[in-house]
Amino acid sequence: MGPAAEAAPDRCAADPLLTLRALLLRRRDGLSFRLPPRRFAQLHALLLTAGLALHSPNFSLLLRLASPLPVSHRLRLLLCSPLPPTTFLANSLLFASRCLPSALSLYAVLFFSSSPAPPLLRPNAFTYPPLFRFAPPPVGLALATHSLKFLGARAASDDRVLGAALLDVFARCGRIDSCRKVFDRISQPDLPAWNALLSAYARQISDEACASSMGDATLELFARMLSMAIRPNEITLVAVIGACGELGALGHGVWAHAYLVKRRLAVNCIVATALVEMYAGCGRLDLAEQVFSHVADRDTRCYNAMLHGLAVHGHGRATLTLFDRMRAVGMPADSVTVLSVLCGCAHAGLVEQGLEYFDRMEVEFGIEPRIEHYGCMVDMLSRAGRIDDAEKLIDDMIITPNTAIYRSLIRACGNHGKLELGEKMIAELMRLESDHSGNHVLISNFYARMSRWEDAKKARKDMKDMGIDKNPGSSILDINGVLHEFLVGDKTHPHSNEIYAMVEEIETRLSEYRHRSSSTSVLFDVEEEDKMDTLSYHSERLAIAFALIASAPEAPIRIIKNLRVCADCHESAKLISRVYGREIIMRDRTRFHHFREGECSCRDFW
């Protein structure tokens, strides 16, 4: 607090209330603020001598400025005041707390103390929001349970501030069902309630297992919100833009961006970062770079979004160039920054550069390698065929390898015929995670590549005996703002007959160019003709067929796939882009593939 602010009590001694209100406004506006204990005592004395401390609203203002004082001092301030302790005054003390331990201490003493003094108070709807501000997920969940126990389930619907605070707590705890229950009890949810729920769904999008369903739900909720004539703000649109990026819903994302501009909402660094992530995630790296170039107040997260976008699109050298620019302007790098740089090297086959940055990250950047960094390096070495180097890196790791690292090496061993090492890694993988469907599929595929059909069948049988279901491959296609989802062999689409007729036409056209499907992409022992049929009906093939029917001849085909694209679909997409003169932009689980004129941006390194 500056000298002028410290002298305020002296200048305003005749009107201590004016001083209190001015100081609270300063704190509320987020200005640098700390009232020294001596000045606080002076204000307290002024209230007492003027008789203003006999009125609860006045004394509450003082209590809300008591954060610099020890908890015991704040408690005595309340108990020794001219007024009897009330829940209103107790809440004022909680509101003044700046950290969780002091807030919980006051909460326990004032509302749950077994001693005769202070008299036990009953919490109300204003008690919990200040506590929720600091609470990490486990503590927040316990406090949310307290609030429902003491206030009842309807309290959140009766008080909008409490309702929004509960929504936020359940969201941070990953309790999306509880979030929705609280929200559905609110008869007329306002904008903060909608934002809390949309943000809850947006947080869940980062979970790969439920990203698509959470993205769908976010857009559906947003549409419902608009139908109720509630005008979104920047917080709303950040959540919506994130969902668009996950789903590859470019049309919806462009609409959200246009809405921001039309309504003259602030495109601050947070909003701009969401737009960069969305455009990069929808395959429009050019628009992501355009938004990024106009951000005046870039922070590390904004740079990270652009670095990641460049990396997953295979622009490894551009990733390194941007990282050098970031360092040149003095922007600090974090673990995510380095991970994006390593991913850029991995997707572009820049193995030596990746090894160099990995060696420099701790010494030069002060960032200790985490499991994600090791995983990226193992993946890079494995896909480059440097299996021995990948194995050595795993052996030399200072932290325990995770399943993702073992999966990368098993996949590489299958591609390069390393049976013994592959089986060693399989044993480690199953020791850590024996009930994951993807692991059993990976093992079956590994043995199939070795033509060890009995072992491949056994892996599938073990999976079936354990009741583990394989996640089906799915592809999402955006045509004129409408999302279409296809599963492998899917016949549920309204235009299914036309789609399958187009699949047959595509196969005929490709065969004219002497293309023959690679049956090694169907990794189980069936007749050759059946293998060809299975490949033809992969989800991305169906999505491409429908796009050729339903979209304009010059429009790019944009596909989001939940699994890694198989080798045969990759080869087919390259040839389709040449035969039909269409650009195909496909995002699979690991990166983007831009197919143009019979070539792919990944240069077959993926």
Side-chain angles (χ1 to χ4, degrees):
M1 185 173 180
E6 287 191 26
D10 296 322
R11 294 199 310 268
C12 302
D15 195 347
L17 283 182
L18 180 61
T19 304
L20 282 173
R21 292 191 180 103
L23 292 172
L24 280 173
L25 281 173
R26 183 180 176 87
R27 185 176 121 165
R28 188 194 67 183
D29 291 340
L31 300 173
S32 176
F33 175 80
R34 184 177 178 84
L35 187 64
R38 185 173 65 84
R39 295 301 188 187
F40 181 87
Q42 187 179 19
L43 267 176
H44 187 193
L46 285 171
L47 282 178
L48 290 173
T49 54
L52 297 172
L54 296 173
H55 301 280
S56 290
N58 301 338
F59 198 67
S60 170
L61 294 176
L62 182 74
L63 294 178
R64 290 170 66 179
L65 290 170
S67 55
L69 304 177
V71 173
S72 57
H73 191 158
R74 278 182 271 165
L75 193 59
R76 285 199 304 274
L77 195 68
L78 173 64
L79 299 180
C80 299
S81 72
L83 298 168
T86 62
T87 299
F88 170 67
L89 294 176
N91 289 344
S92 299
L93 271 186
L94 289 177
F95 188 83
S97 298
R98 293 300 182 94
C99 64
L100 183 63
S102 66
L104 287 180
S105 297
L106 287 169
Y107 175 66
V109 170
L110 293 169
F111 297 106
F112 293 97
S113 176
S114 57
S115 62
L120 196 61
L121 303 172
R122 184 171 182 82
N124 62 17
F126 298 97
T127 304
Y128 293 97
L131 295 169
F132 292 157
R133 284 182 299 168
F134 310 106
V139 178
L141 194 59
L143 288 169
T145 304
H146 271 217
S147 71
L148 294 174
K149 175 182 177 182
F150 289 106
L151 306 180
R154 289 195 56 82
S157 60
D158 295 335
D159 187 277
R160 292 180 176 180
V161 175
L162 176 62
L166 274 173
L167 286 171
D168 182 65
V169 168
F170 284 130
R172 286 189 281 116
C173 296
R175 300 296 185 94
I176 198 71
D177 291 338
S178 298
C179 250
R180 193 59 189 264
K181 286 178 182 177
V182 171
F183 182 83
D184 289 342
R185 289 193 186 105
I186 302 174
S187 57
Q188 292 183 320
D190 58 3
L191 181 59
W194 278 103
N195 284 346
L197 184 64
L198 287 167
S199 298
Y201 277 91
R203 285 192 184 99
Q204 294 295 106
I205 288 175
S206 61
D207 181 357
E208 185 179 296
C210 60
S212 179
S213 61
M214 289 297 105
D216 283 334
T218 302
L219 294 186
E220 288 173 8
L221 282 168
F222 181 59
R224 181 179 154 198
M225 173 183 164
L226 292 177
S227 71
M228 298 175 69
I230 296 176
R231 181 176 292 185
N233 63 6
E234 295 89 343
I235 297 172
T236 322
L237 291 166
V238 165
V240 172
I241 289 166
C244 294
E246 180 57 40
L247 293 172
L250 178 62
H252 293 76
V254 170
W255 181 92
H257 190 181
Y259 185 94
L260 278 163
V261 175
K262 182 179 178 181
R263 296 290 183 182
R264 297 184 179 180
L265 298 175
V267 183
N268 55 29
C269 188
I270 295 172
V271 176
T273 299
L275 286 169
V276 170
E277 291 173 343
M278 182 272 293
Y279 280 127
C282 291
R284 289 300 304 268
L285 193 61
D286 56 331
L287 294 180
E289 292 178 311
Q290 182 178 316
V291 171
F292 180 79
S293 67
H294 286 89
V295 182
D297 56 340
R298 298 175 193 150
D299 60 6
T300 298
R301 187 181 170 191
C302 188
Y303 272 99
N304 289 349
M306 194 67 247
L307 287 167
H308 178 72
L310 291 167
V312 297
H313 282 267
H315 298 291
R317 297 196 182 280
T319 304
L320 300 184
T321 299
L322 180 60
F323 179 63
D324 290 340
R325 283 170 48 198
M326 176 182 176
R327 297 284 294 169
V329 299
M331 186 64 62
D334 60 17
S335 62
V336 177
T337 313
V338 178
L339 183 61
S340 296
V341 170
L342 297 180
C343 286
C345 294
H347 290 311
L350 304 175
V351 179
E352 295 304 324
Q353 291 91 329
L355 290 169
E356 178 188 346
Y357 278 102
F358 183 73
D359 290 338
R360 290 168 55 191
M361 65 180 291
E362 190 166 7
V363 176
E364 186 173 335
F365 309 138
I367 299 168
E368 186 175 346
R370 293 164 54 179
I371 193 69
E372 296 85 1
H373 302 100
Y374 281 108
C376 189
M377 295 302 297
V378 170
D379 180 60
M380 179 181 70
L381 292 168
S382 297
R383 286 194 283 113
R386 295 174 58 167
I387 310 297
D388 294 338
D389 291 337
E391 182 186 13
K392 183 178 185 304
L393 180 60
I394 293 174
D395 292 338
D396 293 343
M397 283 174 59
I398 59 175
I399 51 181
T400 305
N402 65 1
T403 56
I405 288 176
Y406 290 127
R407 282 195 286 265
S408 293
L409 195 50
I410 292 168
R411 191 176 295 110
C413 288
N415 292 336
H416 296 278
K418 300 281 189 178
L419 177 62
E420 184 178 347
L421 178 59
E423 290 188 320
K424 177 183 173 183
M425 294 298 104
I426 286 171
E428 293 296 326
L429 177 65
M430 296 308 287
R431 179 179 61 83
L432 291 177
E433 194 176 57
S434 62
D435 59 351
H436 189 281
S437 64
N439 293 342
H440 290 271
V441 173
L442 176 65
I443 293 167
S444 176
N445 291 351
F446 169 79
Y447 283 119
R449 287 191 182 278
M450 302 289 181
S451 297
R452 298 272 295 265
W453 300 113
E454 290 304 317
D455 289 326
K457 287 178 180 177
K458 181 179 181 302
R460 298 273 179 169
K461 183 178 183 299
D462 290 344
M463 180 177 168
K464 184 177 180 180
D465 292 343
M466 295 174 68
I468 302 171
D469 294 325
K470 176 184 179 294
N471 291 330
S474 71
S475 295
I476 295 176
L477 179 71
D478 182 359
I479 296 181
N480 299 324
V482 178
L483 301 181
H484 303 263
E485 184 173 15
F486 298 89
L487 303 178
V488 60
D490 196 350
K491 293 188 177 181
T492 61
H493 196 279
H495 298 282
S496 182
N497 291 337
E498 295 96 320
I499 291 170
Y500 276 79
M502 178 56 76
V503 169
E504 295 300 324
E505 179 192 313
I506 291 171
E507 292 301 314
T508 301
R509 294 283 302 274
L510 296 188
S511 65
E512 294 172 358
Y513 283 77
R514 299 185 178 181
H515 170 76
R516 178 170 173 78
S517 295
S518 171
S519 59
T520 57
S521 295
V522 185
L523 299 177
F524 42 87
D525 191 15
V526 296
E527 293 297 325
E528 201 71 15
E529 184 178 342
D530 293 335
K531 289 182 181 181
M532 300 304 106
D533 288 342
T534 302
L535 286 169
S536 297
Y537 304 132
H538 278 189
S539 63
E540 56 266 54
R541 300 279 189 96
L542 299 178
I544 291 172
F546 180 63
L548 291 174
I549 297 169
S551 62
E554 69 280 359
I557 298 171
R558 304 180 187 279
I559 297 171
I560 306 296
K561 184 173 172 59
N562 68 330
L563 303 176
R564 186 173 181 266
V565 62
C566 75
D568 187 75
C569 287
H570 189 268
E571 288 301 308
S572 297
K574 287 199 297 185
L575 192 50
I576 291 169
S577 72
R578 176 184 172 190
V579 171
Y580 287 88
R582 298 290 291 271
E583 180 183 6
I584 301 172
I585 302 168
M586 185 184 301
R587 186 183 90 193
D588 70 6
R589 189 165 61 184
T590 58
R591 62 165 296 154
F592 270 89
H593 301 267
H594 293 253
F595 302 96
R596 298 186 188 93
E597 296 296 328
E599 301 292 335
C600 180
S601 60
C602 74
R603 301 188 301 279
D604 298 335
F605 186 82
W606 93 102

